[in-house]
Amino acid sequence: MNTTDRFLAQTHTVENQPPALEDYNLFAEDQALQEAVKREGAAWAEQELLRFGAECGLPERIALGFAANANKPQLVTHDRFGHRIDQIEFHPSYHQLMDIAISEGLHASPWANPKPGAHVARAAKYYLHTQVEAAHGCPITMTFAAIPALQHQPDLLAKFGPKIMAPDYDGRNVPDTMKHGMTIGMAMTEKQGGSDVRSNTTKAYAIGAEGSGQAYELVGHKWFVSAPMCDAFLVLAQTNKGLSCFLLPRWRPDGSKNALHIQQLKNKMGNVANASSECELRGAFAWMVGEEGRGVRTIIEMVAMTRYDCMIGSSSGMRQATVQAVHHARHRSAFGATLVDQPLMQNVLADLALESEAAMTLTMRMARAMDQQDNEHERLLARIATPIGKYWICKRTPNHAYEAMEAIGGMGVMENTIMPRLFRESPVNAIWEGSGNVQCLDILRAIQKEPDVLEAYFNELHRAAGTDKRFDAFVTKLKADFSNTPKDQWQYQARYFADHMALALQGALLLQHAPAYIADAFCAARLSAHTSANYGCLPTGLDHRAILSRTL
Ligand SMILES: Cc1cc2nc3c(=O)[nH]c(=O)nc-3n(C[C@H](O)[C@H](O)[C@H](O)COP(=O)(O)OP(=O)(O)OC[C@H]3O[C@@H](n4cnc5c(N)ncnc54)[C@H](O)[C@@H]3O)c2cc1C
C-alpha cells in the first residue's frame, strides 16, 4: 500500500466519544453517600469505604460484572456416570464477586462484628459493590438475612452461625462440614403461590420426635429457588400444625447428597449472573426452625432483611445509572455544546440525580434504624418504613434506568455498556421478596397490628416540620387522607398511601440533611402541585448546576 492509500484506509478519527468511566473512586465521588455515612453513625468506616470505593472503580473489577453476566450459569444435573450432582457451573468471575462480597463482610458484618453504625457501614459498602454487579447480591443478601430467622432456633444458630458469618467463600459442591464458610438461600415460592405462601403444599414428615429443632423429611416442590448452590436454605413446609420453617442443607449430616433436586434453571431477563431454579424435594432432610406452625412468623425475619437489602440494591442501581448518564453528558456534544450544558439535558440529569439521592438517603436512614433496634422509635420506624422504602425505591428504579439509558443515546442500548444490565436488573427487586402491592398491604397490616408505627412515622416527619411550606402542606394532606379515607377503602387506596408516605419521608430527610438546593428541588418537583410522571420536568428556578456538580 502506498502512503496515499494507507492514508485513505484510515477512514476517520473517533471524536466526541466519552472515555470509559473507570479508575474512579465510587465512594470519594459520592458526596451524598459520604455525608450519609457520617450522619447515620459510621464515620469510623470512612477509610475502609475509601479503599473499597477505589477498588470498585478499577477496570478489572468492573470487568468481573460484565463477564459474570455474559456467561449464564449452567445446570448440570448428573455427572457422566449418571450420578445426580445438581451442580451449577458459573463463570469464574461470579465466584470472584462472591469471594469479594463475603471477604468484605457484606453477608454478615453487622452480626459478626456488632457495633454502632455496623449496618450503616455495611449498607454503604453493599451500595458500592452492587454498582459493579448486582445479581450475585442475591445469595449475599439471603445469607445476611438468614441470621435473624435462625435466632428463632438457638441450637441451629450455634451450630451454623459461625460458618454463615465467616468471611470465607467456598463455592464447591461439597458438604458444609468440608467448608469454613456457608451461604444460605430461601425457598418459599411454589407454583400455586408466591405472595400467598400459606398455599404452600410441600409437606414435612418428622423422622423421629416432632417440633422445633427436630429432623424432618420434606416432600414437594419449590418454584423459585435462587442461588441453588447455597449450602443450606430456609424453606417453608406444612406439618399437621401448619406452615413451618426449616433449615435444609444441600448435604445430609451423614455427608450424602440431600434430595433437593434442581429441575431446571429459570431463563431470566435480568439478574443473569445469579442462578434461579425450580426444585423438587424428594424426602429432603431438614431441621425445623422456630415454633411449629409459625413458619411465616419465623421466615418473615429473613424476608424483612431481604426487603431492606432491596432498598440498598435499587438505590445502588440508580446511583450507577445517574453517574453513567452524567459522565456521558459531560463528554458528549451535540448541536455545538456539551450535553451537560444544555438546559433540557440539565433538567433530566438533575432530576435523575435527585431521585438517586432521595433513594440513598432513605436507605441509609433505614440502615441506622437497623443499628438501633433497641430504641422503640427506630423499631417502629423500621417496621413501617421498610415496606414503604422497598415499594417506592424499587418501583422508581426501572424508569430511572431507562431515562439514564436514553440520556446516553444509542450507546446506552449497547450490551458493552452497563446500561442494559442496569435496566434488566431494575424490575427484579420490585417483584421478588414481596411485589409492590404486597408491600403496600404490609404497610396497612403494620398499622392495623401496631398503630404506633403510624405515629412513629409521623414523628419522624415532624423533625422537618416548619422548614418548607410545600412539605408541611404535603404532610397535612397525608394526615387528612388517612383520617378521611374510610378504613374499608384503605386497601384500594394502599398505593396512594405508600407513594405519599415515601415521598414525605424522603422530603423530611432531605430537608434535614441535604444541601438546601437539593431539598428545595425535591419539594418543588415531588411535593408540590408541580409533579410529572416523566423525569426532566423540574420547574424553573432550581440550582441544577449545584445538583449536578454534587453528583459526580
Ligand atoms: C428472579 C427471581 C428470583 C426469585 N427467587 C426466589 C427465591 O430464591 N425464593 C423464593 O421463595 N422465591 C423467589 N422468587 C419468587 C418471588 O418471591 C415471587 O415471584 C413473588 O413473591 C411473587 O409471587 P408470584 O410470582 O407467585 O406472584 P403472585 O403471588 O401470583 O402475585 C402476582 C401479583 O399479584 C399481586 N398480589 C398478590 N396478592 C395481592 C393482593 N392481596 N392484593 C393485590 N395484589 C396482590 C402481587 O403484588 C403481584 O404483583 C423469585 C422471583 C424472581 C423473579
Side-chain angles (χ1 to χ4, degrees), residues 186 188-189 193-195 224 226 268 431-433 435 437-438 441:
M186 167 197 260
M188 301 186 296
T189 307
S195 310
F224 278 92
S226 284
K268 296 178 286 181
I431 293 173
W432 67 15
E433 303 305 338
S435 311
N437 286 357
V438 170
L441 296 175

Side-chain angles (χ1 to χ4, degrees), residues 461-483:
L461 299 189
H462 188 70
R463 294 174 179 182
T467 51
D468 186 286
K469 286 201 177 101
R470 295 160 295 190
F471 170 76
D472 291 342
F474 193 90
V475 176
T476 304
K477 168 131 183 18
L478 180 57
K479 278 187 181 156
D481 289 335
F482 267 112
S483 309

Side-chain angles (χ1 to χ4, degrees), residues 482-495:
F482 267 112
S483 309
N484 298 336
T485 307
K487 288 254 165 64
D488 63 358
Q489 288 175 26
W490 276 27
Q491 230 189 79
Y492 187 74
Q493 290 291 298
R495 277 198 183 213

Side-chain angles (χ1 to χ4, degrees), residues 414-454:
M414 298 305 124
E415 290 286 1
N416 50 7
T417 74
I418 197 173
M419 304 313 290
R421 177 145 50 99
L422 292 177
F423 183 63
R424 284 197 303 263
E425 197 69 32
S426 65
V428 177
N429 279 346
I431 293 173
W432 67 15
E433 303 305 338
S435 311
N437 286 357
V438 170
Q439 298 307 307
C440 296
L441 296 175
D442 192 43
I443 297 168
L444 300 187
R445 190 176 309 112
I447 297 171
Q448 276 150 12
K449 260 187 105 174
E450 203 173 8
D452 286 354
V453 296
L454 194 57

